[in-house]
Amino acid sequence: MSATLNAGKTRSALRTSARVSGELLLVLVAAAVVLWLLGRMWSVVWPLVVGLLLTTLTWPPARYLRRRGMAPALAASLVTVLFLLVAAGTVALIAVPVASESGKLGEGVVEGVERLREWAAGPPLNIDDAQIADAFDSATARLQDSAGSIATTAVTGVSTVISGVVTAVLALFLMFFFLKDGPRFLPWLRRQLPGRLATDVPIVVKRCWLTLGSFVRSQALVGLFDAVLIGLGLWILDVPLVLPLAVLTFVSAFVPIIGALFAGLVAVLIALVSNGLMDALLVLALIIVVQQLEGNVFQPMIQSRGLGLHAAVVLLAVTLGGSLAGIVGSLLAVPVAALIAVVWNYLREQLTDPPREPATGDGPPA
């Protein structure tokens, strides 16, 4: 005799499913509203995020100076100035050697173009100078026809650069105020919130701050890993500008995907114009191997350990962030996932019943 479904249990399951679906839909609508508001306020939110990330880098020396009795404003000012000097020194460390080698690099570019022309003129392509001239004239005509779109792109690029400069300046000012007044934020926040929120929110904010610090330190370790391995490989292959390229690799590690592509492209081009095609291919293979090790092994291990996230979660977060918001999404995906995990873990702590001690005599019979 076959079993039949219980009508009461079926109705109860359907009601439960409908209620859970409705509640989940409300949560998704609330999340969509929050994301919409963040998008509308992005010109303020983005400098705030950058300022917080910079503060996690500069807070340890500021805390050291404050503990030695220095006034908060003076300590914040000194650390901000030192940060600007380090940033300027990093730029100089990259730009000065490149400028000193610019003549040789220019000669290498001309020589590389000539080698490419000679190679194209031989078999199997057999492209003569007349065909090259025709292709050049055709490309020039296309550029002239596309002058309007090029101008629009240039204006967009200039607008992006200006926006980036404004964001950087705002982030520096916010970093200074965070360094000066940061320790007073949690007591102030506790006084502004009613009831239990005055306890819960400051605890969550403090845990989120510690998580952001772990993220920045893990990115620094990843950048150091890339810079050491790639710099060592470039030194073995006798590629010029090893130190600037290593510094560029370290700095670009803080910008996921596009930073690695940019640093790798620069290294390959310098190897091509200075050492030739074979060394350029070897540099390309080196960068691919290091990036694969970093992206699939080293970075997930470091970030999963420092942020309390599984390595697979880190990979999925970066992929999802990049698909939703491009470069910014890739940059913020891991810290956002870690902050969500912090909030979720705290909610679990508050909603979980404490384990009950077994009463006397409740143990298993002898």
Side-chain angles (χ1 to χ4, degrees):
M1 188 174 176
S2 60
T4 57
L5 291 175
N6 184 286
K9 292 182 178 180
T10 303
R11 284 193 298 269
S12 176
L14 288 175
R15 292 194 189 99
T16 302
S17 301
R19 186 181 70 252
V20 171
S21 299
E23 293 171 350
L24 181 60
L25 183 61
L26 289 176
V27 171
L28 292 176
V29 169
V33 171
V34 170
L35 292 176
W36 180 81
L37 290 175
L38 288 177
R40 300 292 294 178
M41 299 186 299
W42 190 246
S43 59
V44 176
V45 173
W46 181 230
L48 178 63
V49 171
V50 176
L52 283 173
L53 293 176
L54 293 179
T55 306
T56 60
L57 280 174
T58 54
W59 173 244
R63 179 178 56 194
Y64 174 83
L65 294 176
R66 292 165 68 109
R67 288 177 177 176
R68 293 300 179 274
M70 186 174 290
L74 182 59
S77 301
L78 182 59
V79 171
T80 302
V81 171
L82 289 176
F83 174 79
L84 291 174
L85 291 176
V86 170
T90 302
V91 173
L93 195 61
I94 297 174
V96 172
V98 171
S100 64
E101 295 283 341
S102 59
K104 295 181 180 179
L105 292 176
E107 294 175 0
V109 170
V110 174
E111 183 180 354
V113 171
E114 182 63 24
R115 288 180 182 178
L116 181 62
R117 188 192 66 80
E118 293 176 356
W119 173 78
L125 298 180
N126 297 319
I127 301 176
D128 56 20
D129 291 341
Q131 291 174 308
I132 295 177
D134 291 340
F136 181 77
D137 293 339
S138 177
T140 302
R142 289 185 179 181
L143 286 176
Q144 291 174 348
D145 294 338
S146 305
S149 60
I150 293 174
T152 303
T153 304
V155 171
T156 303
V158 171
S159 176
T160 302
V161 171
I162 294 175
S163 176
V165 172
V166 172
T167 298
V169 173
L170 286 176
L172 285 174
F173 277 103
L174 289 173
M175 182 189 76
F176 168 78
F177 288 118
F178 291 155
L179 292 175
K180 183 174 77 73
D181 301 323
R184 295 190 295 181
F185 175 71
L186 289 183
W188 173 85
L189 183 62
R190 190 175 292 112
R191 292 193 299 269
Q192 309 307 311
L193 296 174
R196 185 171 175 177
L197 291 177
T199 301
D200 293 336
V201 174
I203 292 176
V204 173
V205 169
K206 184 176 181 180
R207 292 186 183 183
C208 290
W209 167 256
L210 296 176
T211 300
L212 282 179
S214 297
F215 166 73
V216 173
R217 287 191 294 271
S218 66
Q219 285 296 107
L221 286 176
V222 169
L224 184 62
F225 172 82
D226 288 350
V228 169
L229 290 186
I230 293 178
L232 183 61
L234 295 177
W235 177 73
I236 293 174
L237 293 173
D238 198 23
V239 177
L241 303 175
V242 173
L243 183 59
L245 289 174
V247 174
L248 180 63
T249 302
F250 174 78
V251 174
S252 63
F254 290 91
V255 183
I257 302 176
I258 196 68
L261 289 176
F262 174 74
L265 178 62
V266 171
V268 171
L269 287 178
I270 290 179
L272 178 63
V273 301
S274 60
N275 292 26
L277 180 61
M278 183 57 66
D279 281 358
L281 293 176
L282 291 175
V283 171
L284 178 61
L286 169 68
I287 291 173
I288 291 175
V289 170
V290 171
Q291 292 298 330
Q292 290 300 313
L293 285 175
E294 176 240 296
N296 297 312
V297 179
F298 189 70
Q299 184 176 19
M301 288 176 57
I302 292 294
Q303 290 187 340
S304 63
R305 185 174 303 175
L307 302 180
L309 297 175
H310 193 274
V313 175
V314 174
L315 289 174
L316 293 176
V318 172
T319 303
L320 180 61
S323 64
L324 293 178
I327 300 171
V328 175
S330 299
L331 176 63
L332 299 180
V334 176
V336 168
L339 296 182
I340 292 175
V342 167
V343 175
W344 173 253
N345 289 332
Y346 185 78
L347 289 176
R348 285 188 60 188
E349 292 176 8
Q350 302 307 309
L351 298 176
T352 302
D353 293 328
R356 293 185 301 173
E357 296 292 335
T360 305
D362 290 345

